[in-house]
Amino acid sequence: MIDMFLHAPTRQALATDLAPLGLTVDGDLAYSSHRHNLMDLIETDDGGVTVALCCLDDALALAVQAAVFPAGTAIVSRPENAPVPAGGASENLETAKAVACAAIDAEAERRRLMVLTPGDGQTLEYQHTAHDAARADTAPDPLTPAAYPFLVAEQTALARVDVALTLRQVVDLVVYQRATWLAYGAAVKAARRGAKLAIDEAATPLDVAVVLAGVVWPELAEHL
């Protein structure tokens, strides 16, 4: 839930600008829907109006933020002593930040798990396999199988699905897969950290929503 404040030169101008967003009915302002609540705040002698718009979903707030208002409506700062729009108080900024950061962390982990299997034991397996490959990569041929048990395990597993590789070919495969993961994992980190740092700097819940909607995650296919 995000509060926004809008000023327009006239009530009709406000209705004209909000119509494309679905916030009017029969050409007049709609004061309530499943997506919003609207409250009149100020109406000046020259016909200018300021209203409070409570967006009940972030998508509407983002649409208002991105909208071009040809009739002169503008997003303005919260007027002094402005009441809370109908529908309840907006989300606290710190709460909005915490929720957004949790969502970003969850999405980053979901993307990591597209290429990794979770688990402490599995992590050790990855580490030992990478260690074997790093040692074997600089060792001369012929490689001694007993010195590289995790590479032999990979070779055996591949043979069971009719993929016959030499131990040297397994080394090359593991080195390639690790390099691919490192590039993809680093790209995920860059997106995650950049978004969370931007959220730390956000001044309003709307700013938080804008950052969250604008996160560009790396595509796995780009790193294969």
Side-chain angles (χ1 to χ4, degrees):
M1 187 184 301
I2 296 175
D3 287 351
M4 306 176 73
F5 299 89
L6 306 175
H7 177 79
T10 65
R11 182 170 297 277
Q12 184 55 51
L14 181 62
T16 298
D17 284 337
L18 295 185
L21 298 169
L23 302 182
T24 61
V25 176
D26 296 330
D28 200 2
L29 296 173
Y31 282 86
S32 181
S33 75
H34 68 284
R35 302 181 68 206
H36 85 291
N37 288 298
L38 196 66
M39 176 187 292
D40 290 326
L41 294 181
I42 303 169
E43 188 161 353
T44 58
D45 292 339
D46 63 1
V49 294
T50 300
V51 299
L53 173 64
C54 178
C55 300
L56 302 180
D57 65 67
D58 288 356
L60 176 59
L62 292 170
V64 175
Q65 171 79 4
V68 175
F69 296 127
T73 300
I75 299 172
V76 297
S77 300
R78 183 187 186 98
E80 186 176 358
N81 299 321
V84 175
S90 286
E91 187 174 28
N92 174 273
L93 177 59
E94 293 309 312
T95 299
K97 288 183 176 183
V99 170
C101 285
I104 288 168
D105 285 340
E107 179 61 16
E109 185 65 3
R110 186 189 73 81
R111 289 175 178 272
R112 294 187 196 104
L113 293 179
M114 292 168 62
V115 292
L116 296 176
T117 302
D120 293 341
Q122 184 63 52
T123 298
L124 287 173
E125 180 183 306
Y126 286 137
Q127 291 173 349
H128 284 299
T129 302
H131 181 63
D132 275 6
R135 290 188 297 111
D137 196 37
T138 58
D141 287 322
L143 296 173
T144 303
Y148 310 104
F150 281 83
L151 298 183
V152 171
E154 182 70 13
Q155 184 184 40
T156 301
L158 290 169
R160 289 176 179 169
V161 291
D162 298 324
V163 178
L165 298 181
T166 66
L167 200 56
R168 176 60 65 188
Q169 288 173 322
V170 173
V171 173
D172 293 341
L173 176 62
V174 171
V175 169
Y176 167 77
Q177 289 174 332
R178 178 169 172 76
T180 298
W181 152 245
L182 289 175
Y184 179 68
V188 170
K189 175 179 179 175
R192 182 185 69 85
R193 284 286 292 148
K196 292 182 73 172
L197 290 171
I199 285 172
D200 284 343
E201 297 297 317
T204 68
L206 178 58
D207 294 338
V208 173
V210 169
V211 172
L212 190 59
V215 180
V216 178
W217 295 100
E219 295 297 331
L220 179 58
E222 297 173 357
H223 296 272
L224 295 179

